[in-house]
Structures are given as structure tokens and as C-alpha cells.
Amino acid sequence: MLARISFGYVLGTVAAALVVGLNLALMKALAQGLRDNASDIASMLLFVAIYATLFIGAAALLPSVPLIVYAERNRLRSLRFYLAASVGAGIVGFELLAVGFGEFPIFSSLKALEAHAVQLLIFVVLPGLAAGWVYWGIAGREAGDTSRPFW
């Protein structure tokens, strides 16, 4: 069970990082054009995906653990729960990461939230949905099932 949870968390983190990388690559392609910069965009995607995996995994771990424990204990297997929980963990993790780097909380007020809505969508909501979907597919849909030790 713990291996399934860990494997789901790692692959969910990779999925979130790939979404961040794809969003950045798309933004660069739209800004500079795809024809002349295809190799630059591909290398940027790989670079961002590798390093974003580490940052996303570290930032989201603390808020994710209580959610995972709660889901396992209560045998929650709903995709909606994992999508919402992943986005919520992403928001909290993003805030913890910002505070860790000495920044003020980004989403401390409604006005700040409105000012950063696009960043929230690109760097938290879409990657959180991807992470939640992947985690649910690997571990969440069998939450609380101890009959199969790994899968």
C-alpha cells in the first residue's frame, strides 16, 4: 500500500511538472514563434520538467500527507476528491514555497488573488488537476484497500 501511494505521488508530481513545462513551452512558442525555436523549446521543456518535479514534489508533500492519510483511512476513491485535494495541496504548497523563499504570501487577499489569477491557473490549478488525476489512477481509486500490497 505504501509503495502504491509513493509511486502515485511521484508520478503525479512528474505529471504536474510536465504540465508546467508544457505551459511555459507554449507561452514561449506563442511569444517567439515555433519554427525557429523548436529545439530551444524542447530543451526548455525537459529542463523545466526535471527541476519542476523536484520543487513541486517538495512543496506539495507537506499539505498532501494529511490528505492522503485522510483518504486512505476513509477509503475515499472519488476522482473529484483527488482533483480538488491536489489543487488545494498545490495552492498551499505554492504558498509555503513562496514564504520559504522569503516572499509574502501571494494569495493573501482577494485583490492579490485576482492579480495572480493567470499564474494560479498555469502553475497551480492545471498541474494540480494533472497530479490528482494521475495519483487517483495509480493509488486513489484503491484507497484503503489492503488486500493488494502494491497494486
Side-chain angles (χ1 to χ4, degrees), residues 2-74:
L2 187 58
R4 183 178 68 234
I5 292 168
S6 300
F7 189 63
Y9 184 80
V10 168
L11 287 185
T13 302
V14 169
L18 286 172
V19 170
V20 169
L22 285 170
N23 285 332
L24 290 174
L26 180 62
M27 288 172 20
K28 183 174 182 175
L30 291 174
Q32 297 179 349
L34 186 59
R35 284 189 178 153
D36 300 332
N37 300 318
S39 63
D40 290 342
I41 291 170
S43 63
M44 184 194 74
L45 174 62
L46 181 62
F47 178 80
V48 167
I50 290 170
Y51 287 101
T53 299
L54 299 174
F55 280 106
I56 292 169
L61 184 61
L62 184 62
S64 295
V65 169
L67 293 170
I68 292 170
V69 170
Y70 178 78
E72 289 292 324
R73 282 191 178 169
N74 294 300

Short mmCIF file of all heavy atoms in Angstrom, two decimals, residues 2-74:
data_model
loop_
_atom_site.label_atom_id
_atom_site.label_comp_id
_atom_site.label_asym_id
_atom_site.label_seq_id
_atom_site.Cartn_x
_atom_site.Cartn_y
_atom_site.Cartn_z
N LEU A 2 1.91 1.28 0.84
CA LEU A 2 2.78 2.45 0.90
C LEU A 2 3.54 2.64 -0.41
O LEU A 2 3.74 3.78 -0.85
CB LEU A 2 3.75 2.32 2.07
CG LEU A 2 4.60 3.54 2.37
CD1 LEU A 2 3.73 4.75 2.65
CD2 LEU A 2 5.53 3.26 3.54
N ALA A 3 3.92 1.55 -1.04
CA ALA A 3 4.62 1.66 -2.33
C ALA A 3 3.69 2.23 -3.39
O ALA A 3 4.12 3.06 -4.21
CB ALA A 3 5.15 0.29 -2.76
N ARG A 4 2.44 1.81 -3.38
CA ARG A 4 1.47 2.32 -4.35
C ARG A 4 1.24 3.82 -4.15
O ARG A 4 1.19 4.59 -5.11
CB ARG A 4 0.15 1.55 -4.22
CG ARG A 4 -0.90 1.96 -5.23
CD ARG A 4 -2.18 1.14 -5.11
NE ARG A 4 -2.87 1.44 -3.88
CZ ARG A 4 -3.24 0.54 -2.97
NH1 ARG A 4 -2.99 -0.72 -3.16
NH2 ARG A 4 -3.86 0.90 -1.88
N ILE A 5 1.14 4.24 -2.89
CA ILE A 5 0.96 5.65 -2.58
C ILE A 5 2.17 6.45 -3.02
O ILE A 5 2.05 7.50 -3.66
CB ILE A 5 0.68 5.84 -1.07
CG1 ILE A 5 -0.68 5.25 -0.72
CG2 ILE A 5 0.77 7.30 -0.67
CD1 ILE A 5 -0.93 5.13 0.77
N SER A 6 3.36 5.96 -2.70
CA SER A 6 4.60 6.66 -3.07
C SER A 6 4.75 6.75 -4.58
O SER A 6 5.11 7.80 -5.11
CB SER A 6 5.81 5.95 -2.47
OG SER A 6 5.71 5.90 -1.08
N PHE A 7 4.49 5.66 -5.25
CA PHE A 7 4.60 5.62 -6.71
C PHE A 7 3.59 6.59 -7.33
O PHE A 7 3.92 7.34 -8.26
CB PHE A 7 4.36 4.18 -7.20
CG PHE A 7 4.64 3.97 -8.65
CD1 PHE A 7 5.91 4.14 -9.16
CD2 PHE A 7 3.63 3.58 -9.51
CE1 PHE A 7 6.18 3.93 -10.51
CE2 PHE A 7 3.87 3.36 -10.85
CZ PHE A 7 5.15 3.54 -11.34
N GLY A 8 2.37 6.61 -6.81
CA GLY A 8 1.36 7.53 -7.31
C GLY A 8 1.74 8.98 -7.07
O GLY A 8 1.54 9.83 -7.94
N TYR A 9 2.33 9.26 -5.90
CA TYR A 9 2.74 10.63 -5.60
C TYR A 9 3.86 11.09 -6.54
O TYR A 9 3.81 12.19 -7.08
CB TYR A 9 3.20 10.75 -4.14
CG TYR A 9 3.54 12.17 -3.76
CD1 TYR A 9 2.54 13.07 -3.45
CD2 TYR A 9 4.86 12.62 -3.77
CE1 TYR A 9 2.83 14.38 -3.15
CE2 TYR A 9 5.16 13.93 -3.47
CZ TYR A 9 4.15 14.80 -3.15
OH TYR A 9 4.45 16.11 -2.85
N VAL A 10 4.84 10.24 -6.75
CA VAL A 10 5.97 10.60 -7.62
C VAL A 10 5.49 10.82 -9.05
O VAL A 10 5.83 11.82 -9.69
CB VAL A 10 7.08 9.54 -7.55
CG1 VAL A 10 8.12 9.74 -8.64
CG2 VAL A 10 7.75 9.56 -6.19
N LEU A 11 4.69 9.91 -9.57
CA LEU A 11 4.21 10.07 -10.95
C LEU A 11 3.23 11.24 -11.07
O LEU A 11 3.20 11.92 -12.10
CB LEU A 11 3.59 8.79 -11.46
CG LEU A 11 4.59 7.67 -11.78
CD1 LEU A 11 3.88 6.48 -12.39
CD2 LEU A 11 5.69 8.16 -12.70
N GLY A 12 2.44 11.50 -10.04
CA GLY A 12 1.58 12.68 -10.05
C GLY A 12 2.39 13.96 -10.09
O GLY A 12 2.05 14.92 -10.79
N THR A 13 3.51 13.97 -9.35
CA THR A 13 4.40 15.12 -9.36
C THR A 13 5.04 15.31 -10.73
O THR A 13 5.15 16.44 -11.22
CB THR A 13 5.49 14.94 -8.28
OG1 THR A 13 4.86 14.78 -7.01
CG2 THR A 13 6.42 16.12 -8.22
N VAL A 14 5.44 14.23 -11.35
CA VAL A 14 6.01 14.31 -12.71
C VAL A 14 4.96 14.85 -13.68
O VAL A 14 5.26 15.70 -14.53
CB VAL A 14 6.54 12.93 -13.16
CG1 VAL A 14 6.90 12.94 -14.64
CG2 VAL A 14 7.75 12.53 -12.33
N ALA A 15 3.72 14.38 -13.56
CA ALA A 15 2.65 14.88 -14.44
C ALA A 15 2.44 16.38 -14.25
O ALA A 15 2.29 17.12 -15.22
CB ALA A 15 1.35 14.11 -14.17
N ALA A 16 2.43 16.82 -13.00
CA ALA A 16 2.26 18.25 -12.73
C ALA A 16 3.42 19.05 -13.33
O ALA A 16 3.21 20.12 -13.92
CB ALA A 16 2.17 18.50 -11.22
N ALA A 17 4.63 18.55 -13.18
CA ALA A 17 5.80 19.24 -13.73
C ALA A 17 5.75 19.30 -15.25
O ALA A 17 6.13 20.31 -15.85
CB ALA A 17 7.08 18.55 -13.27
N LEU A 18 5.28 18.24 -15.88
CA LEU A 18 5.15 18.26 -17.34
C LEU A 18 4.11 19.29 -17.79
O LEU A 18 4.31 19.95 -18.81
CB LEU A 18 4.79 16.87 -17.87
CG LEU A 18 5.93 15.86 -17.86
CD1 LEU A 18 5.41 14.47 -18.21
CD2 LEU A 18 7.03 16.29 -18.81
N VAL A 19 3.05 19.44 -17.04
CA VAL A 19 2.04 20.45 -17.38
C VAL A 19 2.64 21.85 -17.24
O VAL A 19 2.43 22.70 -18.10
CB VAL A 19 0.77 20.29 -16.51
CG1 VAL A 19 -0.16 21.48 -16.67
CG2 VAL A 19 0.06 19.00 -16.87
N VAL A 20 3.42 22.08 -16.18
CA VAL A 20 4.09 23.38 -16.03
C VAL A 20 5.03 23.61 -17.21
O VAL A 20 5.04 24.69 -17.82
CB VAL A 20 4.86 23.46 -14.69
CG1 VAL A 20 5.77 24.68 -14.65
CG2 VAL A 20 3.89 23.49 -13.52
N GLY A 21 5.81 22.59 -17.54
CA GLY A 21 6.74 22.72 -18.67
C GLY A 21 6.04 22.96 -19.99
O GLY A 21 6.47 23.79 -20.80
N LEU A 22 4.95 22.25 -20.22
CA LEU A 22 4.18 22.45 -21.45
C LEU A 22 3.58 23.86 -21.50
O LEU A 22 3.57 24.49 -22.57
CB LEU A 22 3.07 21.41 -21.57
CG LEU A 22 3.52 20.01 -21.96
CD1 LEU A 22 2.37 19.02 -21.80
CD2 LEU A 22 4.04 19.99 -23.38
N ASN A 23 3.09 24.35 -20.37
CA ASN A 23 2.55 25.71 -20.34
C ASN A 23 3.63 26.73 -20.66
O ASN A 23 3.40 27.66 -21.44
CB ASN A 23 1.93 26.01 -18.98
CG ASN A 23 0.60 25.33 -18.79
OD1 ASN A 23 -0.12 25.07 -19.74
ND2 ASN A 23 0.26 25.03 -17.55
N LEU A 24 4.81 26.58 -20.07
CA LEU A 24 5.91 27.52 -20.35
C LEU A 24 6.37 27.41 -21.80
O LEU A 24 6.67 28.42 -22.44
CB LEU A 24 7.06 27.27 -19.39
CG LEU A 24 6.80 27.67 -17.94
CD1 LEU A 24 7.96 27.24 -17.06
CD2 LEU A 24 6.57 29.17 -17.83
N ALA A 25 6.46 26.19 -22.31
CA ALA A 25 6.87 26.00 -23.71
C ALA A 25 5.85 26.62 -24.66
O ALA A 25 6.23 27.25 -25.66
CB ALA A 25 7.06 24.51 -24.01
N LEU A 26 4.58 26.46 -24.35
CA LEU A 26 3.53 27.06 -25.18
C LEU A 26 3.61 28.59 -25.14
O LEU A 26 3.50 29.24 -26.18
CB LEU A 26 2.16 26.59 -24.72
CG LEU A 26 0.96 27.13 -25.49
CD1 LEU A 26 1.03 26.71 -26.95
CD2 LEU A 26 -0.33 26.67 -24.86
N MET A 27 3.84 29.13 -23.96
CA MET A 27 3.97 30.58 -23.84
C MET A 27 5.17 31.09 -24.64
O MET A 27 5.09 32.11 -25.32
CB MET A 27 4.09 30.98 -22.37
CG MET A 27 2.79 30.82 -21.62
SD MET A 27 2.80 31.04 -19.81
CE MET A 27 4.23 31.94 -19.44
N LYS A 28 6.28 30.35 -24.58
CA LYS A 28 7.47 30.76 -25.33
C LYS A 28 7.23 30.63 -26.83
O LYS A 28 7.64 31.49 -27.61
CB LYS A 28 8.67 29.93 -24.91
CG LYS A 28 9.95 30.36 -25.59
CD LYS A 28 11.15 29.62 -25.07
CE LYS A 28 12.38 30.15 -25.77
NZ LYS A 28 13.60 29.58 -25.23
N ALA A 29 6.58 29.55 -27.23
CA ALA A 29 6.31 29.35 -28.65
C ALA A 29 5.39 30.44 -29.19
O ALA A 29 5.59 30.92 -30.31
CB ALA A 29 5.69 27.97 -28.87
N LEU A 30 4.39 30.81 -28.42
CA LEU A 30 3.49 31.87 -28.86
C LEU A 30 4.19 33.22 -28.92
O LEU A 30 3.90 34.05 -29.78
CB LEU A 30 2.27 31.95 -27.94
CG LEU A 30 1.31 30.77 -28.01
CD1 LEU A 30 0.23 30.90 -26.94
CD2 LEU A 30 0.69 30.64 -29.39
N ALA A 31 5.11 33.44 -28.01
CA ALA A 31 5.81 34.73 -27.96
C ALA A 31 6.89 34.85 -29.03
O ALA A 31 7.10 35.91 -29.60
CB ALA A 31 6.42 34.94 -26.59
N GLN A 32 7.58 33.73 -29.32
CA GLN A 32 8.75 33.81 -30.22
C GLN A 32 8.57 33.07 -31.53
O GLN A 32 9.40 33.18 -32.40
CB GLN A 32 9.99 33.27 -29.50
CG GLN A 32 10.37 34.09 -28.30
CD GLN A 32 11.59 33.53 -27.60
OE1 GLN A 32 12.02 32.43 -27.89
NE2 GLN A 32 12.13 34.30 -26.68
N GLY A 33 7.56 32.29 -31.64
CA GLY A 33 7.35 31.51 -32.85
C GLY A 33 7.97 30.13 -32.70
O GLY A 33 9.03 29.97 -32.10
N LEU A 34 7.32 29.15 -33.26
CA LEU A 34 7.75 27.77 -33.10
C LEU A 34 8.79 27.35 -34.12
O LEU A 34 9.68 26.56 -33.83
CB LEU A 34 6.53 26.84 -33.19
CG LEU A 34 6.75 25.37 -32.90
CD1 LEU A 34 7.31 25.18 -31.50
CD2 LEU A 34 5.45 24.60 -33.05
N ARG A 35 8.76 27.88 -35.30
CA ARG A 35 9.64 27.41 -36.38
C ARG A 35 11.12 27.53 -36.03
O ARG A 35 11.88 26.61 -36.20
CB ARG A 35 9.36 28.18 -37.66
CG ARG A 35 8.12 27.75 -38.34
CD ARG A 35 8.03 28.39 -39.69
NE ARG A 35 6.84 27.93 -40.37
CZ ARG A 35 6.20 28.61 -41.26
NH1 ARG A 35 6.63 29.80 -41.62
NH2 ARG A 35 5.14 28.12 -41.83
N ASP A 36 11.52 28.70 -35.58
CA ASP A 36 12.93 28.95 -35.36
C ASP A 36 13.44 28.41 -34.03
O ASP A 36 14.64 28.25 -33.86
CB ASP A 36 13.22 30.45 -35.42
CG ASP A 36 12.85 31.05 -36.77
OD1 ASP A 36 12.89 30.30 -37.76
OD2 ASP A 36 12.50 32.23 -36.81
N ASN A 37 12.56 28.13 -33.11
CA ASN A 37 12.99 27.80 -31.75
C ASN A 37 12.52 26.43 -31.27
O ASN A 37 12.42 26.22 -30.08
CB ASN A 37 12.47 28.87 -30.79
CG ASN A 37 13.00 30.24 -31.11
OD1 ASN A 37 14.17 30.37 -31.43
ND2 ASN A 37 12.14 31.24 -31.06
N ALA A 38 12.24 25.50 -32.16
CA ALA A 38 11.71 24.21 -31.74
C ALA A 38 12.67 23.47 -30.82
O ALA A 38 12.25 22.89 -29.81
CB ALA A 38 11.37 23.35 -32.95
N SER A 39 13.95 23.46 -31.12
CA SER A 39 14.90 22.74 -30.26
C SER A 39 15.07 23.46 -28.92
O SER A 39 15.23 22.81 -27.89
CB SER A 39 16.25 22.59 -30.95
OG SER A 39 16.83 23.86 -31.19
N ASP A 40 15.04 24.78 -28.93
CA ASP A 40 15.12 25.53 -27.67
C ASP A 40 13.91 25.24 -26.79
O ASP A 40 14.04 25.07 -25.58
CB ASP A 40 15.18 27.04 -27.93
CG ASP A 40 16.48 27.47 -28.55
OD1 ASP A 40 17.46 26.70 -28.48
OD2 ASP A 40 16.52 28.58 -29.12
N ILE A 41 12.76 25.16 -27.40
CA ILE A 41 11.54 24.90 -26.65
C ILE A 41 11.56 23.48 -26.08
O ILE A 41 11.20 23.25 -24.93
CB ILE A 41 10.30 25.14 -27.54
CG1 ILE A 41 10.18 26.64 -27.82
CG2 ILE A 41 9.04 24.61 -26.88
CD1 ILE A 41 9.15 26.99 -28.85
N ALA A 42 12.02 22.51 -26.87
CA ALA A 42 12.09 21.13 -26.39
C ALA A 42 13.08 21.00 -25.23
O ALA A 42 12.79 20.32 -24.24
CB ALA A 42 12.49 20.21 -27.53
N SER A 43 14.23 21.63 -25.34
CA SER A 43 15.21 21.55 -24.24
C SER A 43 14.69 22.28 -23.01
O SER A 43 14.92 21.83 -21.88
CB SER A 43 16.56 22.10 -24.68
OG SER A 43 16.47 23.46 -25.01
N MET A 44 13.98 23.39 -23.20
CA MET A 44 13.41 24.09 -22.06
C MET A 44 12.35 23.23 -21.38
O MET A 44 12.29 23.16 -20.15
CB MET A 44 12.77 25.41 -22.50
CG MET A 44 12.24 26.22 -21.33
SD MET A 44 11.14 27.56 -21.79
CE MET A 44 9.67 26.67 -22.22
N LEU A 45 11.54 22.54 -22.15
CA LEU A 45 10.51 21.66 -21.60
C LEU A 45 11.15 20.57 -20.74
O LEU A 45 10.71 20.31 -19.62
CB LEU A 45 9.68 21.04 -22.72
CG LEU A 45 8.66 19.99 -22.30
CD1 LEU A 45 7.62 20.59 -21.36
CD2 LEU A 45 7.99 19.39 -23.52
N LEU A 46 12.20 19.95 -21.24
CA LEU A 46 12.89 18.90 -20.48
C LEU A 46 13.49 19.47 -19.20
O LEU A 46 13.34 18.90 -18.12
CB LEU A 46 13.97 18.25 -21.35
CG LEU A 46 14.75 17.12 -20.70
CD1 LEU A 46 13.82 15.98 -20.35
CD2 LEU A 46 15.85 16.65 -21.63
N PHE A 47 14.17 20.60 -19.30
CA PHE A 47 14.80 21.24 -18.15
C PHE A 47 13.76 21.59 -17.09
O PHE A 47 13.92 21.29 -15.91
CB PHE A 47 15.55 22.49 -18.61
CG PHE A 47 16.19 23.26 -17.50
CD1 PHE A 47 17.39 22.84 -16.96
CD2 PHE A 47 15.59 24.39 -16.99
CE1 PHE A 47 17.99 23.54 -15.93
CE2 PHE A 47 16.17 25.11 -15.96
CZ PHE A 47 17.38 24.68 -15.42
N VAL A 48 12.69 22.24 -17.52
CA VAL A 48 11.65 22.65 -16.58
C VAL A 48 10.98 21.43 -15.94
O VAL A 48 10.74 21.41 -14.73
CB VAL A 48 10.60 23.55 -17.28
CG1 VAL A 48 9.36 23.73 -16.43
CG2 VAL A 48 11.21 24.89 -17.62
N ALA A 49 10.72 20.41 -16.73
CA ALA A 49 10.05 19.22 -16.20
C ALA A 49 10.90 18.54 -15.12
O ALA A 49 10.38 18.12 -14.09
CB ALA A 49 9.72 18.25 -17.31
N ILE A 50 12.19 18.46 -15.34
CA ILE A 50 13.06 17.81 -14.36
C ILE A 50 13.10 18.61 -13.06
O ILE A 50 12.89 18.07 -11.98
CB ILE A 50 14.48 17.61 -14.94
CG1 ILE A 50 14.44 16.55 -16.03
CG2 ILE A 50 15.45 17.23 -13.83
CD1 ILE A 50 15.72 16.43 -16.83
N TYR A 51 13.39 19.90 -13.17
CA TYR A 51 13.52 20.70 -11.96
C TYR A 51 12.19 21.02 -11.31
O TYR A 51 12.10 21.13 -10.09
CB TYR A 51 14.34 21.96 -12.25
CG TYR A 51 15.78 21.60 -12.44
CD1 TYR A 51 16.32 21.51 -13.71
CD2 TYR A 51 16.58 21.29 -11.35
CE1 TYR A 51 17.64 21.14 -13.90
CE2 TYR A 51 17.90 20.92 -11.53
CZ TYR A 51 18.43 20.85 -12.80
OH TYR A 51 19.73 20.47 -12.97
N ALA A 52 11.15 21.17 -12.09
CA ALA A 52 9.83 21.43 -11.51
C ALA A 52 9.34 20.21 -10.73
O ALA A 52 8.64 20.37 -9.73
CB ALA A 52 8.83 21.80 -12.60
N THR A 53 9.71 19.01 -11.16
CA THR A 53 9.34 17.81 -10.41
C THR A 53 9.87 17.89 -8.99
O THR A 53 9.16 17.58 -8.03
CB THR A 53 9.87 16.55 -11.11
OG1 THR A 53 9.29 16.46 -12.40
CG2 THR A 53 9.55 15.29 -10.33
N LEU A 54 11.11 18.31 -8.85
CA LEU A 54 11.71 18.40 -7.52
C LEU A 54 11.02 19.47 -6.66
O LEU A 54 10.68 19.22 -5.50
CB LEU A 54 13.20 18.73 -7.64
CG LEU A 54 14.03 17.69 -8.39
CD1 LEU A 54 15.46 18.19 -8.58
CD2 LEU A 54 14.02 16.37 -7.66
N PHE A 55 10.79 20.64 -7.23
CA PHE A 55 10.15 21.71 -6.48
C PHE A 55 8.70 21.39 -6.15
O PHE A 55 8.24 21.61 -5.02
CB PHE A 55 10.22 23.04 -7.24
CG PHE A 55 11.56 23.72 -7.11
CD1 PHE A 55 12.43 23.72 -8.17
CD2 PHE A 55 11.92 24.32 -5.92
CE1 PHE A 55 13.67 24.34 -8.04
CE2 PHE A 55 13.15 24.94 -5.78
CZ PHE A 55 14.03 24.95 -6.85
N ILE A 56 7.96 20.88 -7.12
CA ILE A 56 6.55 20.55 -6.88
C ILE A 56 6.43 19.44 -5.85
O ILE A 56 5.61 19.50 -4.94
CB ILE A 56 5.85 20.17 -8.20
CG1 ILE A 56 5.74 21.41 -9.09
CG2 ILE A 56 4.47 19.57 -7.94
CD1 ILE A 56 5.30 21.09 -10.51
N GLY A 57 7.26 18.42 -6.00
CA GLY A 57 7.23 17.30 -5.05
C GLY A 57 7.51 17.75 -3.63
O GLY A 57 6.85 17.33 -2.68
N ALA A 58 8.52 18.61 -3.47
CA ALA A 58 8.87 19.10 -2.13
C ALA A 58 7.80 20.04 -1.58
O ALA A 58 7.43 19.95 -0.41
CB ALA A 58 10.23 19.80 -2.18
N ALA A 59 7.32 20.94 -2.42
CA ALA A 59 6.34 21.93 -1.95
C ALA A 59 5.00 21.30 -1.59
O ALA A 59 4.35 21.72 -0.64
CB ALA A 59 6.15 23.01 -3.01
N ALA A 60 4.58 20.31 -2.34
CA ALA A 60 3.26 19.73 -2.13
C ALA A 60 3.25 18.58 -1.13
O ALA A 60 2.18 18.11 -0.73
CB ALA A 60 2.68 19.25 -3.46
N LEU A 61 4.42 18.13 -0.70
CA LEU A 61 4.47 16.97 0.19
C LEU A 61 3.80 17.24 1.53
O LEU A 61 2.96 16.45 1.97
CB LEU A 61 5.92 16.52 0.40
CG LEU A 61 6.10 15.26 1.23
CD1 LEU A 61 5.40 14.07 0.54
CD2 LEU A 61 7.57 14.97 1.44
N LEU A 62 4.14 18.34 2.15
CA LEU A 62 3.58 18.64 3.48
C LEU A 62 2.05 18.74 3.46
O LEU A 62 1.39 18.10 4.29
CB LEU A 62 4.21 19.91 4.05
CG LEU A 62 3.81 20.29 5.46
CD1 LEU A 62 4.22 19.20 6.44
CD2 LEU A 62 4.45 21.61 5.85
N PRO A 63 1.45 19.48 2.55
CA PRO A 63 -0.03 19.51 2.55
C PRO A 63 -0.66 18.23 2.02
O PRO A 63 -1.84 17.96 2.30
CB PRO A 63 -0.38 20.70 1.67
CG PRO A 63 0.83 21.01 0.88
CD PRO A 63 2.00 20.49 1.64
N SER A 64 0.08 17.43 1.27
CA SER A 64 -0.50 16.21 0.70
C SER A 64 -0.61 15.06 1.70
O SER A 64 -1.53 14.25 1.61
CB SER A 64 0.33 15.74 -0.50
OG SER A 64 0.26 16.67 -1.53
N VAL A 65 0.33 14.98 2.62
CA VAL A 65 0.35 13.84 3.55
C VAL A 65 -0.95 13.73 4.35
O VAL A 65 -1.55 12.64 4.40
CB VAL A 65 1.60 13.89 4.46
CG1 VAL A 65 1.50 12.89 5.59
CG2 VAL A 65 2.85 13.62 3.63
N PRO A 66 -1.44 14.80 4.99
CA PRO A 66 -2.71 14.64 5.72
C PRO A 66 -3.88 14.28 4.82
O PRO A 66 -4.77 13.52 5.22
CB PRO A 66 -2.94 16.01 6.37
CG PRO A 66 -1.70 16.78 6.22
CD PRO A 66 -0.88 16.13 5.17
N LEU A 67 -3.88 14.79 3.59
CA LEU A 67 -4.96 14.46 2.65
C LEU A 67 -4.91 12.98 2.27
O LEU A 67 -5.95 12.32 2.18
CB LEU A 67 -4.86 15.33 1.40
CG LEU A 67 -5.13 16.82 1.62
CD1 LEU A 67 -4.76 17.61 0.37
CD2 LEU A 67 -6.58 17.05 1.99
N ILE A 68 -3.71 12.47 2.04
CA ILE A 68 -3.56 11.06 1.68
C ILE A 68 -3.96 10.17 2.84
O ILE A 68 -4.68 9.17 2.66
CB ILE A 68 -2.11 10.77 1.22
CG1 ILE A 68 -1.84 11.47 -0.11
CG2 ILE A 68 -1.86 9.28 1.11
CD1 ILE A 68 -0.38 11.47 -0.54
N VAL A 69 -3.53 10.51 4.05
CA VAL A 69 -3.90 9.72 5.24
C VAL A 69 -5.41 9.73 5.43
O VAL A 69 -6.02 8.68 5.67
CB VAL A 69 -3.16 10.26 6.49
CG1 VAL A 69 -3.72 9.63 7.76
CG2 VAL A 69 -1.67 10.02 6.38
N TYR A 70 -6.03 10.89 5.29
CA TYR A 70 -7.48 11.01 5.42
C TYR A 70 -8.19 10.14 4.38
O TYR A 70 -9.14 9.42 4.69
CB TYR A 70 -7.89 12.47 5.28
CG TYR A 70 -9.38 12.70 5.35
CD1 TYR A 70 -10.05 12.68 6.56
CD2 TYR A 70 -10.12 12.92 4.18
CE1 TYR A 70 -11.43 12.89 6.62
CE2 TYR A 70 -11.48 13.13 4.24
CZ TYR A 70 -12.13 13.10 5.45
OH TYR A 70 -13.48 13.30 5.51
N ALA A 71 -7.73 10.21 3.13
CA ALA A 71 -8.37 9.45 2.06
C ALA A 71 -8.21 7.94 2.28
O ALA A 71 -9.14 7.17 2.04
CB ALA A 71 -7.78 9.85 0.71
N GLU A 72 -7.02 7.53 2.73
CA GLU A 72 -6.79 6.10 2.97
C GLU A 72 -7.64 5.58 4.13
O GLU A 72 -8.23 4.51 4.03
CB GLU A 72 -5.31 5.84 3.24
CG GLU A 72 -4.42 5.98 2.02
CD GLU A 72 -4.65 4.90 0.98
OE1 GLU A 72 -4.92 3.74 1.33
OE2 GLU A 72 -4.58 5.24 -0.22
N ARG A 73 -7.69 6.34 5.21
CA ARG A 73 -8.47 5.90 6.37
C ARG A 73 -9.96 5.83 6.08
O ARG A 73 -10.66 4.97 6.59
CB ARG A 73 -8.24 6.85 7.54
CG ARG A 73 -6.94 6.61 8.22
CD ARG A 73 -6.88 7.37 9.51
NE ARG A 73 -5.62 7.07 10.17
CZ ARG A 73 -5.17 7.72 11.20
NH1 ARG A 73 -5.87 8.71 11.71
NH2 ARG A 73 -4.02 7.40 11.75
N ASN A 74 -10.45 6.75 5.28
CA ASN A 74 -11.88 6.81 4.97
C ASN A 74 -12.24 6.14 3.66
O ASN A 74 -13.39 6.23 3.22
CB ASN A 74 -12.36 8.26 4.98
CG ASN A 74 -12.28 8.85 6.36
OD1 ASN A 74 -12.90 8.36 7.29
ND2 ASN A 74 -11.48 9.89 6.51
#
